[in-house]
Amino acid sequence: MAAAAAAGGGEERPGEGPGASLSSLPLPPSSQPPGRDTPEDVVLEAPASGLAFHPARDLLAAGDVDGDVFVYSYSCLEGGNKELWSSGHHLKSCRALAFSEDGQKLFTVSKDKAIHTLDVEEGRLIRRISMAHSAPINSLLLVDEHCLATGDDAGRLRLWDQRRDGPCMDLHEHEEYIADMALDPAKKLLLTAGGDGCLGVFNIKRRRFDLLSEPQASDLTSVVLMKRGKKVACGSSDGTIYLFNWDGFGATSDRFALKAESIDCMVPITDNLLCTGATDGLIRAVNILPNRVVGSVGQHAGEPIERLALARCGRLLASSGHDQRLKFWDVASLRSLVVDDYRRRKKKGGPLKTLSAKAWGGDDFFAGLREEPEAPEDGAADDDDGGDDDDDSD
C-alpha cells in the first residue's frame, strides 16, 4: 500500500500517536494562527482521485489511484497536518468517497466495482459490497443518513439503502459513464452528468427516471446547483460551462466557454460563484449570471486537477492534482464578492486576477497557459476568461 506523508510534519502532540483514536485528538484551532493562512500541502505517493471534508471536524479524506484511502487531521499550525490512518482494501483506484451525515462512517467506491464502508475512528472496514456494479464505479453521492447513489462507467445509476441488501433503485439511461451527481435540497431529484453529453434527471423519491437532456458537444464532467436551485451548471470536457433552468432540463439556457481544455470538477462557493478545476492546473473562480471568470484561486503548477472540496466552514478549499499533492486555499474573500453586470474591457492576453495569497499571477506561469484571444464579434467587450453573452432568465 502506498505510504503518504504530510508535508512539513512535526513532533507528535499528546494523544496523536499512530494508535490514537480520533476522539482523543485535540480539536484543531478554529482561529487563524500567526504565520499561515492555510494548512500545509499534504504529499501523497499517488494522485488522489477522491476528496472529502468531514462534516463536523477538521478532517480530510483522500482516495488515490492505487486504491488507498487516507484520513488526515489538518491545521494551520506548522507541522499541524497528521495522517490518522490509511486503508488499502480496494484493489484498484478509489474514485470517490463521502462521509456520512454524522461523520462516523466513510463511504468509498472504486474501479474494482466495490463499495466500502469504513469506520472513521479507526479506519476499520465495516461493510463491503463486492461487485456492486457490473462496470467500474465512477461517482458517489450521499443522499441521506441511510441512502447513497453510485454511478458507473457504463452509465448505470444505483441507489442503495444501507438497511437493505442490494440496490433499491437500478436504472440504466446514460450511454456513457456517469461523471458526477447532484441532489436538490428536497432530496427528490437526482441529477447526473454523463459522458454522453447529457444531463440526467431521476426522481429518487418515486424510484423512476424522468428525462435526459439533449446531448451537448462534449462529455459533461460535473454538475452543481446554483442561484438558489434555479440554475444547474455542468462542466464539460471542452472547457464550457453549460447552464440549465431548473424547470427546463431538456435544453441549455446558456453556455459559458472558459480558456481551459477541460473542466474536470466544480464546487459551489456561494449561490452565484463556483470554483472549477481544469486540466491546465488552474482553479478558477467563476460567477454565474452575469457570467465572469473572476480570477485564479490557485494552481497545481500545470498538472491536471482531479478533485475540489469545500470545508464545512466555507473558508478552505482543498484540491488534488496529478502532482500528488493535496492543497488548501483560502476562499473566504469569495463569499462576499459581488459581480455586477458591467463588462469591463481588459487588456488582451493579461493574466488572471489572483484571489488568494498562494495563487500565481505572474507571466512566468500564465504565459505558457494562455490562449491567443479571439477577436470579439460585433464589437462585444472582452470578458475575463471567455464566455458567451449573459442570460439572466430564470
Side-chain angles (χ1 to χ4, degrees):
M1 179 178 62
E11 295 180 359
E12 291 181 356
R13 297 191 292 260
E16 292 197 349
S21 68
L22 299 189
S23 59
S24 66
L25 290 173
L27 286 175
S30 57
S31 61
Q32 177 180 311
R36 294 202 65 88
D37 294 331
T38 59
E40 297 169 292
D41 293 356
V42 174
V43 181
L44 304 173
E45 291 191 357
S49 49
L51 204 59
F53 277 103
H54 192 276
R57 306 190 63 179
D58 289 350
L59 303 177
L60 179 67
D64 70 21
V65 297
D66 290 336
D68 298 328
V69 176
F70 303 91
V71 170
Y72 297 90
S73 65
Y74 60 88
S75 167
C76 291
L77 294 174
E78 293 292 337
N81 297 341
K82 298 291 182 182
E83 179 188 321
L84 302 180
W85 54 261
S86 62
S87 167
H89 292 291
H90 281 301
L91 303 177
K92 296 181 180 180
S93 172
C94 176
R95 291 178 165 180
L97 37 74
F99 284 100
S100 61
E101 289 184 345
D102 60 11
Q104 296 181 11
K105 298 176 182 177
L106 180 66
F107 304 104
T108 65
V109 296
S110 169
K111 187 178 178 180
D112 65 10
K113 308 174 186 177
I115 302 173
H116 289 175
T117 305
L118 301 169
D119 175 69
V120 173
E121 286 289 328
E122 302 173 353
R124 176 173 48 87
L125 181 65
I126 300 173
R127 186 185 185 192
R128 175 191 287 117
I129 305 177
S130 300
M131 298 301 295
H133 283 247
S134 58
I137 305 175
N138 193 60
S139 55
L140 168 69
L141 179 68
L142 184 71
V143 175
D144 57 32
E145 60 179 330
H146 299 299
C147 295
L148 54 90
T150 53
D152 67 24
D153 282 357
R156 183 178 296 276
L157 173 70
R158 285 184 167 177
L159 188 66
W160 306 84
D161 189 327
Q162 300 177 66
R163 298 164 295 185
R164 302 179 183 178
D165 293 328
C168 57
M169 185 181 80
D170 185 0
L171 296 170
H172 191 181
E173 304 297 334
H174 285 284
E175 296 180 359
E176 298 288 344
Y177 66 96
I178 296 176
D180 195 16
M181 296 181 284
L183 192 65
D184 74 320
K187 298 185 177 182
K188 176 183 177 182
L189 294 183
L190 186 149
L191 309 180
T192 55
D196 53 6
C198 297
L199 174 70
V201 184
F202 299 83
N203 188 321
I204 59 174
K205 288 288 187 183
R206 301 197 176 191
R207 307 288 196 265
R208 74 183 186 196
F209 164 71
D210 277 5
L211 62 92
L212 286 180
S213 73
E214 61 184 20
Q216 308 308 314
S218 59
D219 300 9
L220 298 186
T221 57
S222 48
V223 55
V224 297
L225 272 62
M226 303 296 293
K227 295 290 184 178
R228 299 181 180 179
K230 294 181 180 180
K231 291 285 184 178
V232 176
C234 293
S236 68
S237 60
D238 67 357
T240 300
I241 296 178
Y242 294 94
L243 300 180
F244 296 82
N245 291 327
W246 180 255
D247 56 354
F249 295 120
T252 59
S253 64
D254 198 4
R255 64 189 62 193
F256 179 28
L258 307 186
K259 291 180 181 177
E261 291 181 5
S262 176
I263 300 170
D264 294 333
C265 50
M266 302 195 306
V267 63
I269 305 298
T270 68
D271 281 333
N272 302 317
L273 190 139
L274 56 82
C275 283
T276 65
T279 53
D280 61 11
L282 287 181
I283 303 172
R284 293 171 171 84
V286 180
N287 193 82
I288 300 298
L289 298 177
N291 297 332
R292 300 282 192 280
V293 173
V294 181
S296 169
V297 172
Q299 65 288 313
H300 278 257
E303 296 287 344
I305 295 172
E306 282 283 344
R307 281 286 186 271
L308 296 174
L310 186 67
R312 70 189 189 283
C313 63
R315 184 179 74 86
L316 285 179
L317 179 74
S319 61
S320 64
H322 286 200
D323 56 2
Q324 301 175 190
R325 285 180 175 266
L326 308 180
K327 296 190 174 189
F328 297 86
W329 312 96
D330 187 349
V331 294
S333 63
L334 300 183
R335 302 188 66 81
S336 58
L337 190 65
V338 177
V339 178
D340 59 32
D341 291 334
Y342 174 71
R343 283 183 182 268
R344 178 176 57 85
R345 185 180 292 272
K346 74 181 184 80
K347 183 179 178 181
K348 289 185 178 182
L352 293 177
K353 179 181 178 181
T354 58
L355 301 176
S356 72
K358 297 192 296 182
W360 298 349
D363 290 339
D364 56 336
F365 176 71
F366 286 98
L369 299 176
R370 291 195 300 267
E371 297 177 1
E372 291 297 323
E374 297 179 359
E377 297 180 3
D378 301 326
D382 296 332
D383 204 354
D384 279 351
D385 199 30
D388 293 345
D389 291 340
D390 301 334
D391 178 6
D392 292 301
S393 61
D394 288 335

